[in-house]
Amino acid sequence: MNSPIKPKGPLYPTNLSDQPQVIRLHHSKILALFRALDGLLILIMLWLVLRVLQIEWGSAYAALAMGAVITFGFFAEGNEIYYLWRGYSMTSLASRIVIAWLLTAMMILLAFSTLISFKKLELEPVILWLTLTPEVMIAMHWARRVILAKIRSNPSEPRRVAIVGANDLGARMTKSIADTPWLGYRVVGFYDDRISGEQDDRRIDMSSHGVPVSGDLDQLYTDAHAGKIDIVFLTLPMRAEFRIHSVINRLADTTVTPYVIPDVFNFDLLHSRLTCIQGIPALSIYDSPLVDNSLVKRLEDLVIGLAMLIALAVPMMIIAVGVKLTSKGPIFFKQTRYGMRGEHIKVWKFRSMTVCEDGDHVTQAKKGDMRVTRFGNFLRRTSLDELPQLFNVLSGSMSLVGPRPHAVAHNEYYRGQIKGYMLRHKVKPGITGLAQINGYRGETETLDKMSGRIAYDLEYIRNWSLLLDLKILWGTLFKGFVGQHAY
């Protein structure tokens, strides 16, 4: 009798690294469900409003509802409503829903006033529907979080978390878990081999965070084998690669789920984004918010910029006449500045000086500068000399809101003096910006003043949103036009 054929090797590999490795994105089935429910809610809310007002549901209302579902889905994706960004507060989620719905409402009202089929609709039910829908939607998402928090915090099925690394990142992780009870996580302890108080060591006292240091790594393995831990978050510094490998390899002999939390916050992140390329995770350190939002930003510039140009056309013509009558030279002054990605652009201004400097050596205007004309002094103090930059905005070389463009000569000087200076060119320069409404307008004669301006510029890029742009434009009306240091 023939003996069975024996395999040449093990049926399953013992070394997981021998297999092609990819990282899959985590998808939430609950968020996918609520994406569909939000669309259904938009339809139901319009139907209910029509029913209450005793208005017949017709094809025009059906088209309106379907258009709103599609439009809201687009803006909701842009505002990351259904992304699994665990840790967003309910206030943050509500603001994202409101912004997405406001943009949807703007599109709906635009269609309402232009398309012939929509002119058959009555305005009262549409306004009522646009008002009530986001409130009900927010309430539904709030209920989701409350219910999930109740279910996941059930003590009969805890998700016990251990954190390896008694350091700042570990403390931040603990706070994030405490702030998101709907995740159902409970930190049971920190584990760290390092001795508290050692020099050149980042271990910190965790007593103030309400979670004890339960022991060293040997104790971690003991507790993991005893079934006292479900999840392990490794918050060790990136330089501790060997220790991270060692912990993960030993945890392979348990049933816990380890997560590696890279300590990327040591970098000065600028609008950082996480992406995945064929299963390979990639984290950008210095990124631009316009990578995914360039269309929204451009629409903002075109709509508001064109409206401003129409409203200011007559004052601009009066200013042009004033420039021509009060001094010799051209009405407009074009100076080379750095635009997005450091490209050279020509920035338009009303001429306010007797000279038109544009080269390797440009001297900033100072108090009592003899080059500034009398009419030009008024223009500069009120920022009216900047109005022609609306042409830059409409042509696409500038934006309404962004870091103020500096002369090329100033750029080349300060890029070697201030860390991260050139990062301000990750977005288009603006007519006004976060720095300008916070007092950094006009002359920056000291390095400290320029550093302060750059700090606000980078803060703007780091936290960019359409709502922030609108806040800056509103603030410019009261703070951005007149300044003590504008000469």
Side-chain angles (χ1 to χ4, degrees):
M1 185 173 179
N2 294 332
S3 60
I5 298 176
K6 295 182 179 180
K8 295 181 180 180
L11 291 177
Y12 298 99
T14 56
N15 187 357
L16 296 178
S17 62
D18 290 340
Q19 299 301 301
Q21 300 179 58
V22 297
I23 296 178
R24 296 171 178 83
L25 295 176
H26 183 82
H27 296 285
S28 170
K29 304 299 187 295
I30 294 176
L31 289 180
L33 172 63
F34 270 78
R35 185 193 295 265
L37 288 178
D38 283 345
L40 183 61
L41 175 67
I42 293 172
L43 292 169
I44 292 175
M45 287 299 297
L46 180 58
W47 180 81
L48 286 174
V49 168
L50 294 176
R51 187 71 180 268
V52 170
L53 297 179
Q54 297 182 346
I55 299 174
E56 183 180 354
W57 176 280
S59 58
Y61 286 107
L64 174 67
M66 291 307 300
V69 170
I70 296 171
T71 306
F72 179 78
F74 172 78
F75 289 120
E77 185 70 19
N79 282 277
E80 302 175 349
I81 291 175
Y82 307 110
Y83 282 33
L84 198 64
W85 297 133
R86 296 180 168 182
Y88 274 157
S89 66
M90 191 60 226
T91 302
S92 176
L93 177 60
S95 66
R96 291 168 183 269
I97 293 174
V98 169
I99 291 172
W101 186 252
L102 284 176
L103 293 171
T104 301
M106 289 173 58
M107 299 299 291
I108 292 299
L109 293 176
L110 179 63
F112 191 95
S113 61
T114 55
L115 298 181
I116 298 176
S117 59
F118 280 3
K119 291 182 179 179
K120 302 176 182 178
L121 305 177
E122 295 186 35
L123 185 59
E124 181 185 358
V126 173
I127 295 298
L128 186 60
W129 167 62
L130 291 176
T131 303
L132 295 177
T133 299
E135 298 173 10
V136 178
M137 193 178 295
I138 291 171
M140 187 171 68
H141 281 267
W142 175 81
R144 165 178 64 87
R145 288 199 168 188
V146 171
I147 293 171
L148 287 178
K150 293 288 186 183
I151 294 174
R152 288 172 174 172
S153 61
N154 188 342
S156 64
E157 194 176 348
R159 305 175 76 179
R160 298 158 298 180
V161 173
I163 296 179
V164 176
N167 49 32
D168 290 330
L169 183 58
R172 179 172 179 175
M173 195 72 197
T174 303
K175 183 180 184 302
S176 296
I177 291 174
D179 291 342
T180 53
W182 54 86
L183 298 180
Y185 291 162
R186 179 169 61 88
V187 179
V188 296
F190 285 89
Y191 296 84
D192 203 316
D193 274 339
R194 298 169 296 177
I195 300 174
S196 180
E198 284 186 348
Q199 290 185 346
D200 299 326
D201 196 287
R202 288 192 289 179
R203 174 167 171 171
I204 60 176
D205 183 11
M206 308 307 296
S207 59
S208 62
H209 299 279
V211 180
V213 176
S214 301
D216 57 15
L217 296 184
D218 287 332
Q219 185 64 47
L220 170 71
Y221 307 133
T222 299
D223 291 347
H225 277 283
K228 298 179 180 179
I229 301 170
D230 300 306
I231 296 173
V232 173
F233 288 125
L234 285 89
T235 62
L236 298 174
M238 289 192 291
R239 67 170 182 264
E241 181 182 1
F242 176 78
R243 295 174 65 206
I244 294 173
H245 273 285
S246 176
V247 172
I248 291 176
N249 287 336
R250 292 191 64 178
L251 289 177
D253 190 36
T254 71
T255 59
V256 303
T257 302
Y259 286 82
V260 177
I261 312 296
D263 191 8
V264 298
F265 299 103
N266 281 325
F267 302 106
D268 189 10
L269 301 179
L270 185 76
H271 206 88
S272 180
R273 297 189 313 149
L274 181 65
T275 188
C276 195
I277 304 173
Q278 288 196 341
I280 303 174
L283 178 71
S284 62
I285 305 301
Y286 303 137
D287 209 342
S288 168
L290 300 185
V291 171
D292 296 323
N293 300 285
S294 58
L295 179 59
V296 174
K297 181 75 165 171
R298 185 63 182 142
L299 285 174
E300 172 197 352
D301 287 338
L302 288 175
V303 173
I304 301 179
L306 186 59
M308 290 178 63
L309 186 61
I310 294 173
L312 296 170
V314 173
M316 288 176 67
M317 286 189 288
I318 295 173
I319 293 172
V321 173
V323 172
K324 196 65 178 175
L325 294 178
T326 56
S327 62
K328 296 180 179 179
I331 294 174
F332 297 109
F333 166 49
K334 299 178 186 178
Q335 189 177 60
T336 305
R337 306 276 176 106
Y338 275 4
M340 192 164 67
R341 295 182 295 271
E343 298 173 352
H344 287 193
I345 62 173
K346 290 290 187 180
V347 174
W348 286 54
K349 299 179 73 173
F350 282 120
R351 183 178 56 81
S352 58
M353 291 186 172
T354 56
V355 297
C356 296
E357 294 179 344
D358 185 20
D360 296 333
H361 302 284
V362 177
T363 304
Q364 274 193 330
K366 303 180 184 296
K367 187 174 182 178
D369 199 316
M370 298 302 295
R371 298 171 300 164
V372 180
T373 66
R374 182 174 298 180
F375 187 61
N377 183 59
F378 164 74
L379 295 179
R380 296 173 72 90
R381 285 190 174 277
T382 56
S383 294
L384 293 176
D385 62 322
E386 313 283 0
L387 291 182
Q389 288 165 34
L390 288 171
F391 297 122
N392 287 105
V393 171
L394 296 178
S395 68
S397 60
M398 287 182 63
S399 179
L400 288 172
V401 182
R404 285 292 299 148
H406 298 155
V408 172
H410 298 156
N411 269 339
E412 294 305 315
Y413 172 76
Y414 285 114
R415 69 188 303 175
Q417 303 292 322
I418 301 174
K419 180 182 176 181
Y421 177 89
M422 289 302 292
L423 294 177
R424 67 198 302 272
H425 299 291
K426 300 292 287 186
V427 298
K428 292 180 182 179
I431 297 179
T432 185
L434 188 62
Q436 281 62 51
I437 66 170
N438 282 281
Y440 287 91
R441 177 182 174 270
E443 184 186 11
T444 50
E445 71 278 11
T446 66
L447 193 60
D448 285 343
K449 286 186 178 181
M450 181 59 80
S451 296
R453 176 183 287 188
I454 302 308
Y456 275 112
D457 290 342
L458 299 186
E459 186 70 14
Y460 167 76
I461 298 174
R462 189 175 290 115
N463 299 294
W464 180 87
S465 68
L466 182 60
L467 181 60
L468 178 58
D469 273 2
L470 297 178
K471 287 181 178 178
I472 293 173
L473 288 172
W474 178 255
T476 301
L477 294 175
F478 304 99
K479 302 177 182 178
F481 282 113
V482 180
Q484 296 180 349
H485 303 290
Y487 307 125

